[in-house]
Amino acid sequence: MICLRPTDLAREHGISTQAVRNYEQHGFIPPAERTRSGYRIYTEVHAAALRAYLSLVPAYGYATAGQIMNALHRDALDEALTLIDRGHGQLLRDRDTLAAVRTAVTHLTAGSAPAPARDPGTRTVGELAHQLGVTAATLRNWEDAGILTPARDPATGYRVFRADDVRDAELAHLLRRGGHPLEHIATVIHQIRTAGGADALAASLETWQRRLTAQGLAMLRAATHLQEYLAHLDTKSHDHGP
């Protein structure tokens, strides 16, 4: 067994030794053994864990990456795989939404109004929030910002989201995850509604396309490092078996 120091792990990734200790404290890498004088001793297993965790971050985000590693260290493999599946599902939904928005941009660039979306039926605020994975309060904030303009049911006064509203909400959700402020998103939505000024929207979508591609590649790299770490865990479990 090769013994490694905290500096060895830190140097490989260009991070501080304190970061390595923090990752251990939060359960992202296994606990290190200690020398009699209290110094941490890391092994190839810890190095593989750190590679796996740091490769998961650009693929799934800091929070999910930490949850995946914690699940593995609780021997909850299926829980870790479920988190990974959700990440892939979200990436696919982002790609589908991006494709739909590109269709709208094509119409805008051609100087015509966007093709009407296939009518999925109306949505209540709760139904649309559930569809997007956001809260109803978020949708109301978007309405206050001018991003959404739902009609009101004349009988109940409740908000009613039609096909165009659903399209606008999906686009807003995509851009919001890209870090765009509400003011910018409101401008983009207004451009789609008025069928003009598609250049800014096209630029935003190109940026998002590059981010989605980078995330997909990051997922592939993360899968490789995660498989290597799982092999270490499997070997370790056999070494400590009956």
Side-chain angles (χ1 to χ4, degrees):
M1 180 182 66
I2 299 175
C3 294
L4 302 171
R5 300 167 300 171
T7 53
D8 297 323
L9 270 66
R11 188 181 303 113
E12 178 181 347
H13 303 283
I15 60 179
S16 68
T17 55
Q18 182 60 52
V20 175
R21 290 191 289 269
N22 290 342
Y23 295 153
E24 179 186 346
Q25 178 182 354
H26 293 300
F28 304 158
I29 64 176
E33 294 186 8
R34 302 275 188 146
T35 66
R36 290 183 178 179
S37 54
Y39 291 106
R40 288 175 170 83
I41 300 176
Y42 293 115
T43 67
E44 303 100 315
V45 175
H46 297 91
L50 186 57
R51 292 186 199 107
Y53 169 69
L54 292 178
S55 69
L56 288 167
V57 170
Y60 303 96
Y62 283 99
T64 300
Q67 291 168 4
I68 291 171
M69 297 304 292
N70 273 281
L72 291 179
H73 296 149
R74 296 194 312 272
D75 293 326
L77 178 59
D78 283 336
E79 180 181 334
L81 294 176
T82 298
L83 290 165
I84 291 171
D85 291 342
R86 287 175 181 163
H88 284 275
Q90 184 62 63
L91 181 60
L92 180 59
R93 288 191 293 274
D94 286 351
R95 290 188 183 281
D96 289 342
T97 301
L98 185 59
V101 174
R102 282 191 183 280
T103 300
V105 173
T106 299
H107 287 277
L108 289 171
T109 305
S112 62
R118 181 179 62 85
D119 187 358
T122 60
R123 300 281 193 277
T124 65
V125 64
E127 289 168 343
L128 182 55
H130 178 74
Q131 177 178 328
L132 297 178
V134 301
T135 65
T138 295
L139 295 182
R140 288 191 284 270
N141 287 338
W142 293 356
E143 182 180 356
D144 292 340
I147 295 171
L148 301 178
T149 57
R152 296 278 182 165
D153 187 310
T156 64
Y158 293 152
R159 294 171 178 81
V160 176
F161 296 86
R162 298 188 174 91
D164 287 348
D165 300 312
V166 174
R167 176 206 62 195
D168 292 347
E170 288 175 340
L171 176 55
H173 195 209
L174 175 68
L175 295 176
R176 194 69 177 130
R177 285 198 298 272
H180 296 275
L182 294 180
E183 296 81 1
H184 173 68
I185 297 174
T187 299
V188 170
I189 297 297
H190 178 72
Q191 289 170 352
I192 281 199
R193 289 194 191 122
T194 58
D199 290 345
L201 177 59
S204 295
L205 296 181
E206 285 301 323
T207 298
W208 250 99
Q209 179 67 71
R210 290 192 293 271
R211 290 180 179 176
L212 294 181
T213 299
Q215 185 181 6
L217 292 173
M219 287 179 172
L220 289 176
R221 289 189 291 270
T224 299
H225 288 299
L226 198 58
Q227 178 61 42
E228 292 175 353
Y229 181 49
L230 288 172
H232 278 287
L233 292 180
D234 186 59
T235 300
K236 186 177 179 181
S237 67
H238 281 90
D239 289 344
H240 292 82

